[in-house]
Amino acid sequence: MLARRIVAKHVTKTTALAMLGATVVLSILQVLFTYLGELGNLKEGYNAWQALLYVLWSAPRYIYEILPISALIGAVLGLGTLASNSELIIMRAAGISLWRIVGWVMRSALLLVILSFALSEWVIPVTNERAESVKSHRSVAQLGEVKGYWSREGQRFIYIDYANSQGNLRNVQVVDFDQDYRLQALLNADSGQFEQDGQWRLQNSVQVDILEAGNAVQHIAEQQPLALALKPKYVHMVTLDPEDLSPSQLISFMRYMEEYSQVPKTYQLAFWQKLASPFALITLVLIACSFIFGPLRQQSMGFRLVIALFIGLGFYYLQDFLGYASLVYSPSPVWFVFFPILLMFIGGSYLLYRAR
């Protein structure tokens, strides 16, 4: 039992270091090539130093995107090293099953899964805003400003000429309809301020109520409460690309939009892609294991790396293509996002089953 624990620790440590090493190398290359590309976009007010800051603030996003490929290459390197030293053969001869070895490798992959979740939930939403702030020469608070924003809550339609993430509004127009979409009321206000969940206070408002008889009544008030489910954080989320939102932000925003209107498929796609990312990482590690124990066990390390790179890039581009294709051809992106993962999982499991 003790010997098996030592072997398990050795396999996990070897593959974990290989995965982390691949992540570091690929991240450095990604940052370097991205910076070289940004140098071609230099202009007045955006110099080489600012381009470097922009790329460095964007680095967590690059790391997040390459983690599945890093896991694939790292697993191939780690297991390939063990195979080259005949350690895998000795483990199998000692009675250790193939699936147990694969399970030890999956432990290493869990480190990257945890890193992937931490980046997408807490790091990337902050660093991407910092990066955009550097490139656009605007503060983070200014990035949260919206001009010309439409929202719908049930039978109520709201137009806001200006809004920011601090809960300030300017030039607000609210139109209320009944269930048959007959006009009930019109409201115009010069400004507004968020008070608490579901409650806003408007200043200098003019409201016109349409009565059943067809006549109208006008009300003018210096201050007027208004019930809106809209929150400042939702206004701020509108300014961000769906890919820059964390999973929890996407869930919150989609719940709000689903309750009062239709959720744009771009937000659904971003959510399912983030949810599928850990599964994609685990699946690519499974593919790496199937290669080492299967058709590539007699090949050189260089050949294994080339095949792993082609598989990883092919998987990445296929998933990216199907994801955007789902915006046109599918009622829900979930099927297109998980299809390549399921395909790779079946392929890897079959190769391992043959090699066992």
Side-chain angles (χ1 to χ4, degrees), residues 60-80:
R61 183 184 67 193
Y62 305 146
I63 296 174
Y64 174 78
E65 292 174 348
I66 65 174
L67 277 179
I69 299 178
S70 300
L72 171 65
I73 294 177
V76 169
L77 286 173
L79 286 175

Side-chain angles (χ1 to χ4, degrees), residues 46-331:
Y46 185 63
N47 54 36
W49 171 247
Q50 291 170 322
L52 179 61
L53 289 177
Y54 169 76
V55 172
L56 291 178
W57 278 116
S58 302
R61 183 184 67 193
Y62 305 146
I63 296 174
Y64 174 78
E65 292 174 348
I66 65 174
L67 277 179
I69 299 178
S70 300
L72 171 65
I73 294 177
V76 169
L77 286 173
L79 286 175
T81 301
L82 296 175
S84 300
N85 297 332
S86 301
E87 294 177 75
L88 293 181
I89 296 176
I90 296 174
M91 293 178 198
R92 297 297 304 277
I96 300 176
S97 69
L98 182 149
W99 296 108
R100 186 177 294 274
I101 298 174
V102 172
W104 294 337
V105 178
M106 290 300 175
R107 290 184 190 176
S108 306
L110 288 179
L111 294 175
L112 297 191
V113 169
I114 295 172
L115 177 61
S116 174
F117 175 78
L119 288 174
S120 65
E121 180 64 31
W122 296 299
V123 180
I124 292 177
V126 176
T127 56
N128 277 4
E129 284 194 330
R130 294 287 185 179
E132 185 60 30
S133 175
V134 170
K135 196 166 189 177
S136 63
H137 301 288
R138 294 190 295 168
S139 66
V140 174
Q142 290 175 326
L143 290 176
E145 297 176 346
V146 177
K147 296 180 180 179
Y149 174 68
W150 279 98
S151 180
R152 176 188 174 186
E153 297 184 3
Q155 303 302 104
R156 169 170 285 177
F157 295 82
I158 308 105
Y159 173 77
I160 302 171
D161 188 58
Y162 170 86
N164 60 31
S165 57
Q166 283 73 47
N168 299 312
L169 309 178
R170 286 203 301 264
N171 298 329
V172 183
Q173 299 177 18
V174 181
V175 183
D176 287 321
F177 294 90
D178 62 16
Q179 295 299 323
D180 296 323
Y181 287 96
R182 288 191 295 263
L183 184 63
Q184 284 189 319
L186 295 171
L187 174 63
N188 288 278
D190 291 340
S191 60
Q193 179 67 44
F194 178 75
E195 291 190 332
Q196 60 183 359
D197 287 355
Q199 294 296 324
W200 295 75
R201 182 161 296 277
L202 304 179
Q203 285 80 38
N204 301 324
S205 64
V206 178
Q207 180 171 333
V208 178
D209 294 326
I210 310 298
L211 304 180
E212 292 183 2
N215 53 332
V217 178
Q218 179 176 280
H219 305 278
I220 300 176
E222 291 186 1
Q223 291 191 351
Q224 176 178 344
L226 180 67
L228 284 179
L230 180 69
K231 298 179 182 180
K233 67 177 182 179
Y234 296 145
V235 174
H236 179 52
M237 289 178 190
V238 173
T239 66
L240 303 174
D241 291 332
E243 294 81 6
D244 295 337
L245 296 174
S246 68
S248 61
Q249 288 175 324
L250 284 168
I251 292 174
S252 175
F253 191 50
M254 288 193 301
R255 282 178 177 173
Y256 162 73
M257 298 191 72
E258 186 176 11
E259 184 174 357
Y260 296 101
S261 59
Q262 185 177 5
V263 180
K265 291 177 68 174
T266 52
Y267 289 90
Q268 294 178 347
L269 174 61
F271 171 74
W272 287 115
Q273 285 179 331
K274 289 181 182 294
L275 185 65
S277 181
F279 296 99
L281 192 152
I282 294 296
T283 299
L284 289 179
V285 172
L286 183 69
I287 287 291
C289 295
S290 69
F291 283 171
I292 298 301
F293 289 105
L296 299 185
R297 62 180 179 271
Q298 303 295 335
Q299 302 297 330
S300 65
M301 183 66 73
F303 184 79
R304 291 169 180 164
L305 283 178
V306 171
I307 296 299
L309 187 60
F310 274 108
I311 292 293
L313 291 176
F315 174 81
Y316 175 81
Y317 289 125
L318 176 62
Q319 192 177 43
D320 199 44
F321 169 76
L322 290 178
Y324 287 106
S326 69
L327 299 178
V328 180
Y329 299 108
S330 174

